[in-house]
Amino acid sequence: MSIRVYNPLQDDYIRIPKPITKIVSLDPASTEIIFLLGLGDKVKATDAFSYRPEEARRTLKVGSYTHVNMDILEQINPDIIFTTAGAQKELTRKLIGLGFNVYPLPVPTNIAGILNNVLLIGNVLGAYQNARELYYNLYTIINELKVGRFKNKLKVYVELDLGEPITVGFPTHISDGISLLGSINIFDDVSEAYFTPNDDEILKRNPDILIYEPKKLTDYEKERFYSILQQRGLFQLLSKRIIFTKGDYLAHMGPSFITDALIWLKSVVFLNLSFLVILLPLANPRIIEYKPNIMLPAMITS
């Protein structure tokens, strides 16, 4: 038995066997959603960056974000493979060309896109009620986090270490999240989602705070970033509050962006934190690392 499911990115229907017993997810956000829908036991393999929730760490890893071990994939013979658009576009085409059943998901351009992907995956996997429940749980959290509009908005500059300095424009879940919290991303008027910023433009836009996301937070990484700011001539930013994330945090496009990162971001914006630590007092910069102590809301329990 099988069903037809429409995929908007392919503008076509794909036929999916029922019941689905073997899932491969090559997208960390999709992996997280599948587990939250209570279908983690059907996930036979994931990419190396799928470690949310904790159970996903124990899944078989079949490759990185853009390269997959085809021999292992053929052995698994999955009923469905989840990928995403953007960086996985070529991989998706290759997998389809090899005859695999692939469902690529759109990259969220706002927080609503994360919610939409919950429903898309729930539809593919037949987890209709759980998908609705997860969707509304996330929607409730978003409404609780939303704040009123302020006359003087806090100007936020976000920089991600993706091999080079990358910041975010208007069509991103990060910029949307900052806006939801009553603040503004200094590049919210840029139509490009992810791009390398012009350093002079950063200074011109004069952010109130800087949020830096390394690949992984370490003491060395903090010192390295402080040095890089000096090398780039961004001395003006050293008088601002600089906040480090733990890495792979704000950039994540799964539900935990809402249940974890967005809550943390609100605590940063309103300085309503469990504690803060002053770091790297070289040249008297005010560099602050925020470490929230947040109880995450329960999602779906089986």
Side-chain angles (χ1 to χ4, degrees):
M1 178 181 175
S2 63
I3 62 169
R4 292 199 317 154
V5 177
Y6 179 73
N7 183 270
L9 289 184
Q10 295 173 285
D11 191 24
D12 199 1
Y13 286 88
I14 62 173
R15 190 163 290 279
I16 302 174
K18 292 291 181 179
I20 291 177
T21 60
K22 293 181 292 183
I23 302 170
V24 170
S25 175
L26 302 177
D27 168 45
S30 298
T31 300
E32 183 179 33
I33 291 171
I34 295 166
F35 273 85
L36 290 177
L37 292 178
L39 299 172
D41 61 317
K42 301 184 187 303
V43 176
K44 303 306 177 184
T46 63
D47 66 285
F49 303 104
S50 285
Y51 56 84
R52 298 178 178 94
E54 187 62 31
E55 302 93 301
R57 290 185 184 272
R58 298 189 288 271
T59 57
L60 176 67
K61 304 303 179 183
V62 291
S64 64
Y65 198 63
T66 56
H67 297 85
V68 177
N69 187 317
M70 293 299 177
D71 291 335
I72 296 179
L73 210 55
E74 289 175 358
Q75 292 174 20
I76 296 173
N77 189 26
D79 298 321
I80 187 69
I81 300 174
F82 287 100
T83 62
T84 186
Q88 289 189 316
K89 185 183 300 183
E90 292 304 317
L91 176 60
T92 297
R93 289 173 179 167
K94 181 178 180 179
L95 292 172
I96 292 174
L98 291 172
F100 288 105
N101 217 11
V102 185
Y103 193 95
L105 288 149
V107 175
T109 57
N110 48 42
I111 296 175
I114 297 175
L115 298 182
N116 186 57
N117 282 350
V118 168
L119 296 181
L120 288 175
I121 292 176
N123 185 47
V124 171
L125 300 180
Y128 308 114
Q129 294 306 312
N130 280 1
R132 291 282 189 208
E133 185 177 348
L134 177 57
Y135 176 95
Y136 287 122
N137 282 346
L138 295 172
Y139 186 81
T140 298
I141 294 171
I142 292 168
N143 277 337
E144 291 175 348
L145 289 172
K146 184 177 180 180
V147 300
R149 301 301 177 191
F150 300 114
K151 182 178 180 180
N152 297 316
K153 297 182 179 180
L154 186 73
K155 296 185 295 182
V156 182
Y157 171 60
V158 176
E159 186 165 301
L160 311 172
D161 179 9
L162 299 179
E164 61 179 323
I166 297 294
T167 193
V168 297
F170 177 84
T172 62
H173 65 295
I174 298 174
S175 197
D176 191 32
I178 293 171
S179 178
L180 179 81
L181 301 175
S183 301
I184 186 167
N185 165 26
I186 64 168
F187 288 109
D188 197 48
D189 61 345
V190 175
S191 59
E192 189 174 357
Y194 300 93
F195 60 96
T196 301
N198 178 281
D199 288 340
D200 289 337
E201 188 64 24
I202 296 173
L203 295 178
K204 179 181 178 182
R205 293 175 182 243
N206 191 26
D208 298 310
I209 64 172
L210 189 164
I211 300 177
Y212 178 67
E213 178 150 295
K215 292 180 180 178
K216 184 178 182 181
L217 183 62
T218 63
D219 289 337
Y220 168 76
E221 194 63 32
K222 298 168 191 173
E223 294 180 15
R224 188 181 75 87
F225 182 64
Y226 175 71
S227 177
I228 288 175
L229 288 181
Q230 295 184 81
Q231 294 171 20
R232 290 163 60 185
L234 296 174
F235 297 99
Q236 181 178 321
L237 296 184
L238 300 178
S239 64
K240 311 290 184 178
R241 285 187 290 112
I242 300 177
I243 301 127
F244 296 88
T245 78
K246 62 184 180 181
D248 189 24
Y249 195 51
L250 296 180
H252 179 63
M253 302 178 187
S256 61
F257 175 78
I258 297 168
T259 63
D260 187 357
L262 200 57
I263 295 173
W264 175 84
L265 189 57
K266 184 173 183 178
S267 72
V268 167
V269 170
F270 288 94
L271 305 181
N272 183 23
L273 312 170
S274 56
F275 63 92
L276 55 81
V277 180
I278 305 298
L279 300 169
L280 301 174
L282 302 177
N284 198 30
R286 191 183 181 194
I287 298 181
I288 303 176
E289 177 189 6
Y290 292 94
K291 298 181 179 180
N293 181 18
I294 297 170
M295 294 296 293
L296 300 182
M299 301 309 295
I300 293 177
T301 57
S302 56

